[in-house]
Amino acid sequence: MSEIHSTAVVHPKAEIGAGCVIGPYCVIGAQVVLGPGCRLHSHVVIDGHTVLGRQNEIFPFASIGLKTQDLKWKGGLTRTEIADGNTFREYVTINSATADGQATRIGSHNHILAYAHVAHDVRVGNHVIMSNVATLAGHVIVEDYAVIGGLAAIHQFCRIGRMSIIGGCSKVVQDVPPFMMADGNPAETRTINKVGMERNGVSAEAQSALKNAYRILFREGLTIPNALERIEAELPPLPEVQHLVQFTRQSERGIGRRKSNDAAPND
């Protein structure tokens, strides 16, 4: 059985899974589906065509699944889809998609801290951390195990690569390559995310190869196509290296490269 506080407003058509706890003054719309074991602390609003999986925890004043803020919205059926085991802290906002039939999607085991914003049509993978007031504009893609620092702002259509980390207060206007550390205004790739890779079990061989890939891609003054050719020719074809190459080659906005070839700390 679910536990629903007497002051909560839950539409009769909403689907509430077993073991959910819905706290005081929460509002749940007609098209909402909550999977088993979700917990809404208080004053949470979930509306629109929104589906949450199992055991998501949502803290006070979060707003999930409401209409996009995008001025291009012309109506239609848009969705918000969230998987399992996520934490959404106070005042988090997650908008539905913009175009009819589209969805904003968030994976599993993400930790989204207070006042963070996930805009329309964003795709967030798994095990992502967004620190306080981190902001994703529309159509951003965040790969697994990325960490976005507090007050960082990500421009629309940017991609944040797997196991990358973005420093607090950064302004990200280009893609952040996987396994790298980006910081600044505008953000530039500074070095490899060594601590993140160690925490997530990346092998010493792969870390060494990625450090060499970083030097070729960001320190040698090569064009990106030439740098990628060198990486493929000189470094072992490890999955991590191949992902970095593929991610960079597919970039439409470009990657944030340092404006100077002066050595950075910890290179």
Side-chain angles (χ1 to χ4, degrees), residues 3 5 25 29 33 36-37 55 59 89 98 117 128 134 139 150 160 185 213 221 229 242 248 250:
E3 178 183 334
H5 194 273
Y25 303 104
V33 177
Q55 297 180 332
F59 283 77
R89 294 299 312 219
T98 293
H117 176 64
V128 169
H139 303 277
I160 310 303
N185 187 350
E229 288 181 8
Q242 291 177 330
T248 305
Q250 292 176 345

Side-chain angles (χ1 to χ4, degrees), residues 105-146:
R105 294 185 172 92
I106 296 177
S108 296
H109 307 297
N110 300 297
H111 196 44
I112 314 297
L113 301 189
Y115 293 92
H117 176 64
V118 178
H120 60 91
D121 302 280
V122 163
R123 284 185 283 159
V124 176
N126 306 309
H127 301 282
V128 169
I129 297 174
M130 291 178 61
S131 295
N132 295 351
V133 203
T135 298
L136 305 179
H139 303 277
V140 165
I141 296 173
V142 184
E143 295 184 346
D144 297 349
Y145 294 97

Side-chain angles (χ1 to χ4, degrees), residues 149-215:
L151 294 157
I154 317 300
H155 192 281
Q156 59 187 352
F157 293 101
C158 284
R159 298 180 303 151
I160 310 303
R162 175 180 172 86
M163 233 174 282
S164 62
I165 184 168
I166 298 170
C169 300
S170 292
K171 173 187 174 183
V172 178
V173 297
Q174 292 181 297
D175 294 349
V176 175
F179 312 107
M180 299 294 163
M181 178 184 296
D183 187 51
N185 187 350
E188 299 172 348
T189 306
R190 305 291 181 169
T191 186
I192 61 170
N193 183 17
K194 180 175 176 61
V195 172
M197 288 191 284
E198 289 175 347
R199 288 175 176 172
N200 290 296
V202 176
S203 69
E205 180 187 16
Q207 290 186 47
S208 178
L210 287 166
K211 186 172 183 179
N212 288 328
Y214 165 79
R215 290 185 181 277

Side-chain angles (χ1 to χ4, degrees), residues 18 21 52 78 110 149 162 187 257:
V21 177
L52 284 80
T78 62
N110 300 297
R162 175 180 172 86
R257 300 213 289 180

Side-chain angles (χ1 to χ4, degrees), residues 4-267:
I4 301 176
H5 194 273
S6 61
T7 61
V9 179
V10 180
H11 196 283
K13 292 184 178 180
E15 298 181 28
I16 309 300
C20 286
V21 177
I22 299 177
Y25 303 104
C26 292
V27 179
I28 309 298
Q31 306 299 329
V32 172
V33 177
L34 294 183
C38 288
R39 181 177 182 186
L40 284 58
H41 283 265
S42 75
H43 298 86
V44 173
V45 177
I46 307 178
D47 207 350
H49 289 78
T50 300
V51 177
L52 284 80
R54 305 172 63 90
Q55 297 180 332
N56 293 286
E57 185 173 13
I58 308 170
F59 283 77
F61 300 100
S63 172
I64 298 175
L66 276 70
K67 173 185 164 184
T68 174
Q69 299 175 81
D70 188 352
L71 296 177
K72 296 190 299 297
W73 189 79
K74 302 300 181 184
L77 194 158
T78 62
R79 294 183 169 86
T80 305
E81 299 173 356
I82 297 170
D84 306 326
N86 298 288
T87 299
F88 303 106
R89 294 299 312 219
E90 296 81 358
Y91 291 95
V92 164
T93 52
I94 302 171
N95 292 162
S96 187
T98 293
D100 183 37
Q102 299 301 306
T104 299
R105 294 185 172 92
I106 296 177
S108 296
H109 307 297
N110 300 297
H111 196 44
I112 314 297
L113 301 189
Y115 293 92
H117 176 64
V118 178
H120 60 91
D121 302 280
V122 163
R123 284 185 283 159
V124 176
N126 306 309
H127 301 282
V128 169
I129 297 174
M130 291 178 61
S131 295
N132 295 351
V133 203
T135 298
L136 305 179
H139 303 277
V140 165
I141 296 173
V142 184
E143 295 184 346
D144 297 349
Y145 294 97
V147 177
I148 301 173
L151 294 157
I154 317 300
H155 192 281
Q156 59 187 352
F157 293 101
C158 284
R159 298 180 303 151
I160 310 303
R162 175 180 172 86
M163 233 174 282
S164 62
I165 184 168
I166 298 170
C169 300
S170 292
K171 173 187 174 183
V172 178
V173 297
Q174 292 181 297
D175 294 349
V176 175
F179 312 107
M180 299 294 163
M181 178 184 296
D183 187 51
N185 187 350
E188 299 172 348
T189 306
R190 305 291 181 169
T191 186
I192 61 170
N193 183 17
K194 180 175 176 61
V195 172
M197 288 191 284
E198 289 175 347
R199 288 175 176 172
N200 290 296
V202 176
S203 69
E205 180 187 16
Q207 290 186 47
S208 178
L210 287 166
K211 186 172 183 179
N212 288 328
Y214 165 79
R215 290 185 181 277
I216 295 170
L217 188 56
F218 295 98
R219 315 306 290 157
E220 300 291 338
L222 300 170
T223 65
I224 289 176
N226 287 341
L228 296 179
E229 288 181 8
R230 272 194 57 187
I231 290 170
E232 290 179 313
E234 298 178 12
L235 300 182
L238 299 170
E240 294 86 353
V241 174
Q242 291 177 330
H243 182 55
L244 172 63
V245 169
Q246 182 183 40
F247 180 99
T248 305
R249 187 165 279 145
Q250 292 176 345
S251 177
E252 296 181 359
R253 295 191 59 84
I255 56 175
R257 300 213 289 180
R258 292 173 61 84
K259 296 179 175 64
S260 168
N261 283 331
D262 296 335
N266 302 318
D267 280 1

